[in-house]
Amino acid sequence: MGRFVANKLTEIWNSQVIVDNRPGAAGTIAAEMVAKAAPDGYTLLMAASPEIAIAPSLYAKLPYDPLKDFAPVTVVALGPFVLVVHPSVPAKSVKELISFAKSRPRQLNFSSGGNGTAIHLTGELFKAMAGIDMVHVPYKGSAPAVADLLAGQVHLMFESIPVSIPHVKAGKLRALGIATSKRSHTAPELPTVAESCVPGFEGGTWYALLAPSQTTRETVTRLNAEITRILKTPQTRDYLSDRGVEPIGNSPEEFAAFIRSEIAKWAKVAKDSGARVE
């Protein structure tokens, strides 16, 4: 997502926008670097939801404050999760899965790419909202989590569209629903988990652009205008849709309110589930 936006801005500004990968610690290393950067509009953060909305509830101490140390620009896109089950699970719908799980407390398990990941907490949110009790099985990354799901070592998981749908089409997994408020353009045949029987349920990873907190209003407004203009083009929508993500492009004020609501949402999930990363 960062490279896509950087390439588009390079074209518009006729000036090279460089992507500087800072991996590690679920994105918090990159976030810290940008939080402490000069607010001159030259250093920006392409963030995902974990380092902004989830990390505050999982880490005892973060080297930055998501609400105070950044100037929100816009949410670029949302990558929804799909609820997929191994074919050995008899449920053919979300409602049937919930009924099946309620009759077998703690006998079903769900995998994720690690404790405290967005996929893990989406599973915990599903447990809480559906009133079921399943066992979380964390892996060192999404790839081994999916591999064990395909092998039937675990029963279900929430996973991205690009990863899960090919396995669904191959008959190796069964998709029951998508974790968005409305159906995805990428997989319109899938009902949402919310419309199936868990009203209000949403889970996925969002990608967004932020600047250091003292960045001028003029710079933030200009960045927002450029990004939202890019997101409205048919070419961009097709490009993102092919990769299983939905373009958003909201205002800085809307994004700021969204961050606050997301932090509160995932804080409750983390507290209720006992999820922690040290």
Side-chain angles (χ1 to χ4, degrees):
M1 195 62 63
R3 292 189 183 282
F4 171 75
V5 171
N7 289 339
K8 289 296 182 182
L9 291 177
T10 294
E11 293 173 7
I12 293 171
W13 293 339
N14 196 29
S15 180
Q16 185 66 47
V17 178
I18 299 170
V19 176
D20 182 7
N21 292 316
R22 297 293 180 102
T28 58
I29 292 175
E32 178 185 10
M33 190 272 284
V34 175
K36 296 177 179 178
D40 53 12
Y42 284 88
T43 303
L44 306 169
L45 176 67
M46 177 56 74
S49 48
E51 58 263 33
I52 300 299
I54 296 176
S57 302
L58 298 179
Y59 290 86
K61 186 177 181 180
L62 275 180
Y64 57 88
D65 186 323
L67 293 174
K68 296 179 180 179
D69 292 338
F70 298 102
V73 177
T74 189
V75 177
V76 175
L78 169 67
F81 292 149
V82 179
L83 172 55
V84 286
V85 300
H86 187 266
S88 62
V89 177
K92 300 296 192 300
S93 67
V94 177
K95 186 174 183 179
E96 288 182 6
L97 175 65
I98 293 173
S99 178
F100 185 71
K102 285 183 175 180
S103 68
R104 295 163 177 78
R106 297 192 66 78
Q107 290 184 35
L108 290 184
N109 51 44
F110 71 100
S111 62
S112 80
N115 188 41
T117 59
I119 287 175
H120 167 210
L121 292 189
T122 297
E124 296 291 351
L125 178 63
F126 180 68
K127 282 173 54 180
M129 295 184 69
I132 58 178
D133 191 5
M134 302 185 296
V135 177
H136 172 230
V137 183
Y139 289 79
K140 293 183 178 180
S142 184
V146 173
D148 264 14
L149 176 61
L150 291 169
Q153 298 300 312
V154 290
H155 299 106
L156 60 104
M157 74 180 296
F158 285 88
E159 185 49 272
S160 67
I161 289 177
V163 173
S164 58
I165 293 301
H167 296 304
V168 172
K169 291 181 177 179
K172 297 178 180 179
L173 296 177
R174 184 185 307 120
L176 302 185
I178 192 163
T180 46
S181 59
K182 58 183 180 181
R183 296 196 181 199
S184 169
H185 295 297
T186 308
E189 73 283 358
L190 274 180
T192 67
V193 175
E195 74 179 80
S196 297
C197 60
V198 190
F201 179 81
E202 288 187 63
T205 299
W206 45 263
Y207 307 93
L209 198 68
L210 303 100
S213 62
Q214 298 305 309
T215 304
T216 66
R217 177 67 186 178
E218 179 184 3
T219 299
V220 170
T221 300
R222 180 189 177 196
L223 284 167
N224 178 271
E226 300 288 14
I227 299 299
T228 53
R229 188 179 301 117
I230 291 168
L231 294 174
K232 289 178 181 178
T233 65
Q235 295 89 343
T236 294
R237 290 187 174 275
D238 290 343
Y239 176 88
L240 296 180
S241 181
D242 288 345
R243 286 153 182 79
V245 293
E246 309 278 346
I248 303 297
N250 53 5
S251 70
E253 293 77 16
E254 290 170 332
F255 182 20
F258 180 65
I259 291 174
R260 290 191 293 271
S261 67
E262 283 284 280
I263 289 176
K265 170 184 175 178
W266 295 115
K268 185 178 187 308
V269 175
K271 180 181 179 180
D272 291 347
S273 67
R276 198 77 178 165
V277 176
E278 299 295 348

